[in-house]
Amino acid sequence: MLKQRIVTALGLLLVALGALFFLSANGLALAMALVVWIAGWEWSRLCGLVTKPSRFVLATALFSCFGGLLWLIPPTSLETLTALTSLLIWVLGLGCAWWVLAVILVFTFPASAAVWQNSSILKVFAGLLTLLPFAVGVLLLRSAHASSLGIYYGAELLLTVLAMVWAADSGAYFAGKRFGKRKLMPKVSPGKTIEGLLGGLCAASIVALVGAWLLNIEPADWGFFVLASVLSVLASVFGDLTESMFKRQAGVKDSGRILPGHGGILDRIDSLTAALPVFALCYWLWIV
């Protein structure tokens, strides 16, 4: 199982790097549309939809929402802030608002489940607010550019955010293994500890500082960059916990089986679905 997980993780890393650095804006948008469809299919299971036609309808509906955004604001126009100051920023803002609400739901679980557990509509809406801002955040960060730093600046910025979340996950795992004693959210995810959370934040902060240096960010802006990074990593923790909450209520261990040794797409991007909208919104506020 460990070998399988490592092979799958390396394969995912190569795919992610290839998409970041070699796909065009339109190509990345199509890739994200595919991710949204697969993740939507998996989310339908968490909504209690069991028949393939109903799951297909939900996945296609989420895909269509993302496609509608791309039609209104083509990926190639993302490089101009004029196109971003309206619809896409509202999408990111709604996504961040959802994660604030998700934090409350996680903290009050299982009592909070009484609000949404019997409502497929609320769970579908939660899926929309989880996946759509995530995909928009990817496109927005990839479109970031700095003429003096080369055409790959957006890809490098996005890779930095991914590296921070991955570092936080790894740091939390090893710190939790070595020092973990106090449970973080035992009713949602029994394996997570407060010590693991602190270890993950430390690891992510180091990556953020290295990233700020590599991206040639002005030293005066390092504080804001690290703050945005820490907020994003904290959001990533609750992205993971929120999916765990929905999976626990649905009675499933993994969102899917598409990734050998890792479960489903949602199981791999749950942290990123929260981190990327938060960082993307902070980045937009920062550059404006």
Side-chain angles (χ1 to χ4, degrees):
M1 178 63 73
L2 178 59
K3 181 179 178 181
Q4 190 179 56
R5 286 178 64 87
I6 293 174
V7 171
T8 302
L10 289 175
L12 289 173
L13 178 61
L14 291 176
V15 170
L17 290 176
L20 288 183
F21 288 94
F22 298 109
L23 287 182
S24 65
N26 286 321
L28 183 62
L30 289 174
M32 290 310 302
L34 177 61
V35 170
V36 167
W37 193 93
I38 297 173
W41 171 270
E42 294 176 350
W43 190 274
S44 66
R45 189 182 179 200
L46 306 185
C47 294
L49 303 180
V50 293
T51 64
K52 288 185 177 180
S54 61
R55 296 182 67 186
F56 179 85
V57 168
L58 175 57
T60 304
L62 294 175
F63 172 90
S64 300
C65 289
F66 183 60
L69 278 178
L70 297 183
W71 179 74
L72 291 171
I73 304 178
T76 51
S77 71
L78 294 181
E79 295 181 0
T80 60
L81 284 176
T82 304
L84 294 173
T85 51
S86 53
L87 185 57
L88 292 187
I89 298 304
W90 273 103
V91 172
L92 292 179
L94 285 173
C96 292
W98 154 241
W99 289 114
V100 172
L101 175 60
V103 169
I104 299 174
L105 295 177
V106 168
F107 267 111
T108 56
F109 185 82
S112 63
V115 177
W116 50 266
Q117 63 181 346
N118 295 320
S119 175
S120 294
I121 293 178
L122 288 179
K123 286 183 279 190
V124 167
F125 194 56
L128 179 67
L129 292 177
T130 296
L131 296 175
L132 210 59
F134 158 68
V136 167
V138 170
L139 297 182
L140 172 57
L141 291 175
R142 166 64 186 276
S143 71
H145 65 281
S147 58
S148 61
L149 300 179
I151 60 173
Y152 288 128
Y153 179 78
E156 292 165 350
L157 178 63
L158 184 51
L159 180 60
T160 300
V161 181
L162 297 180
M164 286 188 297
V165 174
W166 295 335
D169 287 343
S170 299
Y173 175 79
F174 288 111
K177 278 282 188 181
R178 178 64 179 85
F179 305 107
K181 293 181 180 180
R182 293 170 293 178
K183 299 296 183 181
L184 180 63
M185 292 285 173
K187 295 180 181 179
V188 178
S189 184
K192 287 183 170 54
T193 64
I194 294 175
E195 292 80 7
L197 172 63
L198 295 176
L201 287 174
C202 289
S205 297
I206 293 171
V207 172
L209 288 171
V210 173
W213 174 62
L214 293 175
L215 291 169
N216 290 329
I217 292 175
E218 293 294 330
D221 293 326
W222 280 29
F224 183 86
F225 187 83
V226 173
L227 176 60
S229 301
V230 170
L231 288 175
S232 302
V233 170
L234 283 173
S236 77
V237 173
F238 284 94
D240 187 352
L241 288 170
T242 299
E243 197 211 349
S244 295
M245 178 179 67
F246 279 102
K247 287 193 297 186
R248 183 171 290 274
Q249 197 61 34
V252 299
K253 181 181 179 182
D254 298 317
S255 63
R257 300 184 182 89
I258 194 172
L259 302 174
H262 287 263
I265 289 290
L266 272 175
D267 296 319
R268 291 303 91 210
I269 66 171
D270 51 5
S271 299
L272 296 172
T273 56
L276 281 167
V278 170
F279 190 90
L281 187 61
C282 289
Y283 174 81
W284 181 81
L285 294 173
W286 174 37
I287 63 175
V288 170

